Amino acid sequence: MRVDDLPLPIIGERFRLENRGDEMTIVRLADGAEVGRIRIEGTEGAVLVRSLCIDEPHRSYGAGSEAARLFNQACQAAKVPLVRTWAPRDLGLSVYFWIRMGYSPVPGEGPDGGIWFERRLE
């Protein structure tokens, strides 16, 4: 699975996800500002979110949450059965974010000692 395989752009209430080659760009609808990006990697039967990053001046306004929901919708439309992501071990806010987005922790150590999360979309 690559970014090109997802039905983009996908538009939400305040943001949209656009294809920018090897990543998705998170764009604010009100003014067209690019506020962040999502990087993914395809694996057998799943998509791995390498990073979902909102640029610092645009954090705490719901862009990350809406982008995660739009990403899940795009994956469902593309018939992706499983999405995996991770949170660094020293960023508790990331752990809280992925749990709030409906992802479940997976036993075992993630990248750099972090925590793996996954969500079934079937």
Side-chain angles (χ1 to χ4, degrees):
M1 173 68 58
R2 299 180 344 243
V3 172
D4 289 341
D5 298 325
L6 296 174
L8 299 174
I10 187 165
I11 301 170
E13 277 186 40
R14 296 179 303 135
F15 300 92
R16 74 177 173 265
L17 295 183
E18 294 181 353
N19 181 341
R20 289 286 190 256
D22 62 344
E23 67 183 20
M24 284 166 267
T25 302
I26 304 160
V27 178
R28 189 172 39 229
L29 296 177
D31 60 2
E34 293 183 5
V35 300
R37 67 216 47 78
I38 301 174
R39 291 189 180 96
I40 65 168
E41 181 179 302
T43 62
E44 187 65 35
V47 169
L48 172 63
V49 176
R50 281 311 216 177
S51 66
L52 188 160
C53 182
I54 303 301
D55 299 333
E56 188 139 355
H58 306 289
R59 292 180 186 162
S60 299
Y61 295 101
S65 298
E66 188 166 334
R69 285 191 294 273
L70 291 171
F71 175 71
N72 288 337
Q73 289 174 15
C75 286
Q76 282 179 312
K79 307 285 189 229
V80 173
L82 177 70
V83 176
R84 296 190 84 195
T85 189
W86 67 285
R89 65 180 161 167
D90 57 345
L91 288 178
L93 191 57
S94 294
V95 171
Y96 174 69
F97 174 81
W98 289 116
I99 290 172
R100 214 181 66 218
M101 294 294 101
Y103 287 73
S104 300
V106 176
E109 190 171 302
D112 298 322
I115 300 171
W116 282 113
F117 291 89
E118 65 181 30
R119 181 173 175 179
R120 294 220 167 266
L121 300 176
E122 306 175 296

